[in-house]
Amino acid sequence: MPSEVRTITAALRDRRSATYAGFPYDTGTIGERRIVVAVTGVGVTNGAMVSALFLNEFKPSALVVSGTGSRFNPRIRTGDTVISLKTIHHAAGSLTGDGMVYRKVRGPLPGQMTSWFFRPDPALLALARAAVRTYEPEAVVVEGERYTPRVLTGIVTASDMFGVSDEKIADMRAKLNPDIMEMESAAIAQVCTQLGVPHIVFRAGSNRTQSNPGNDYRRLGQIAAAAAARWTVHFLESFPAQRRAR
């Protein structure tokens, strides 16, 4: 969503705007690195399409996902940002009378199977853990309460479902125990894994996970988007200088 990158693009030095394959993007520098910022749009297909196109064109050293997601785990408050330790396709497999049976599927290469979950690049995860120690989040006010959001590790799930039923929530909680539910990151992580590009996912909690989240997301999404973007800028500022062009 445009609101999820606004703070990041504002932080770019020597910012320039352009398009690639019809998709707009901004480029500039944050810290010691050249950054390309693009909006993928909502959902699995949009996330995978834009990521694959931009990875092929710009050949980055890493891909960072920054955005929002519904708060699945009660430990997550609005504005808390989750560094994903496992990013899961929660609609990958067979939907049975006993809920989801998660499984791998045939990949695009002969003999290749594609997983239903993906882990971040270990070096990027280590850098994120170190950056947490120097990060100073901005306080937020939610429903009259003022507090300082956290940055913490957790599990992120994704699919094309914006809202889910109570039955689906119970099934996911029992089998996956996620912290955040959203719509793009698992597909983006799959593209990165397939193309050999290190990735990491940051998602800030907005509304609670529910069947009809539209009104709550409109009310809380901006708070979450800004929180995730501020953390992402801090993370990028701590990124080491690139040693060679790719």
Side-chain angles (χ1 to χ4, degrees):
M1 299 283 284
S3 61
E4 293 171 315
V5 301
R6 193 171 294 128
T7 298
I8 302 172
T9 54
L12 292 171
R13 299 195 309 273
D14 302 318
R15 175 183 170 185
R16 296 182 181 182
S17 299
T19 61
Y20 172 66
F23 297 103
Y25 68 90
D26 291 281
T27 187
T29 58
I30 295 177
E32 301 296 326
R33 290 293 186 118
R34 180 189 174 211
I35 306 295
V36 175
V37 182
V39 173
T40 65
V42 175
V44 170
T45 303
N46 286 330
M49 172 180 60
V50 173
S51 297
L53 284 169
F54 276 62
L55 290 178
N56 184 66
E57 172 66 12
F58 293 101
K59 296 178 172 54
S61 60
L63 183 147
V64 178
V65 178
S66 179
T68 63
S70 66
R71 296 178 287 113
F72 206 104
N73 193 321
R75 78 181 181 124
I76 305 300
R77 306 178 77 180
T78 296
D80 285 349
T81 299
V82 172
I83 303 168
S84 184
L85 299 177
K86 180 191 287 187
T87 307
I88 301 170
H89 284 291
H90 69 248
S94 300
L95 181 59
T96 73
D98 295 321
M100 285 295 300
V101 176
Y102 297 95
R103 63 182 181 87
K104 295 181 179 181
V105 297
R106 184 68 59 187
L109 299 178
Q112 181 191 67
M113 298 298 289
T114 299
S115 182
W116 48 275
F117 70 88
F118 303 90
R119 298 189 184 278
D121 175 75
L124 294 179
L125 178 58
L127 184 64
R129 288 183 187 274
V132 171
R133 295 195 290 269
T134 59
Y135 184 53
E136 297 181 0
E138 294 185 14
V140 300
V141 177
V142 179
E143 297 176 345
E145 181 183 2
R146 180 181 177 87
Y147 60 89
T148 301
R150 302 165 297 165
V151 178
L152 64 168
T153 56
I155 295 175
V156 171
T157 64
S159 80
D160 270 330
M161 291 179 280
F162 180 45
V164 293
S165 67
D166 291 343
E167 292 78 10
K168 175 66 172 174
I169 290 171
D171 187 61
M172 290 173 63
R173 180 168 286 121
K175 296 173 182 176
L176 306 176
N177 194 29
D179 293 286
I180 292 284
M181 188 189 84
E182 39 98 345
M183 300 179 71
E184 299 82 29
S185 294
I188 295 172
Q190 182 174 332
V191 169
C192 289
T193 300
Q194 185 71 52
L195 299 181
V197 178
H199 81 279
I200 195 164
V201 172
F202 305 138
R203 289 284 183 169
S206 54
N207 53 283
R208 65 178 177 84
T209 303
Q210 58 190 285
S211 60
N212 186 18
N215 289 334
D216 283 352
Y217 183 76
R218 282 187 286 272
R219 184 167 53 87
L220 302 172
Q222 298 294 322
I223 296 172
R230 284 194 293 266
W231 155 253
T232 299
V233 170
H234 176 75
F235 172 78
L236 294 172
E237 288 173 340
S238 67
F239 221 82
Q242 195 165 5
R243 295 181 180 177
R244 62 183 178 86
R246 292 189 59 177

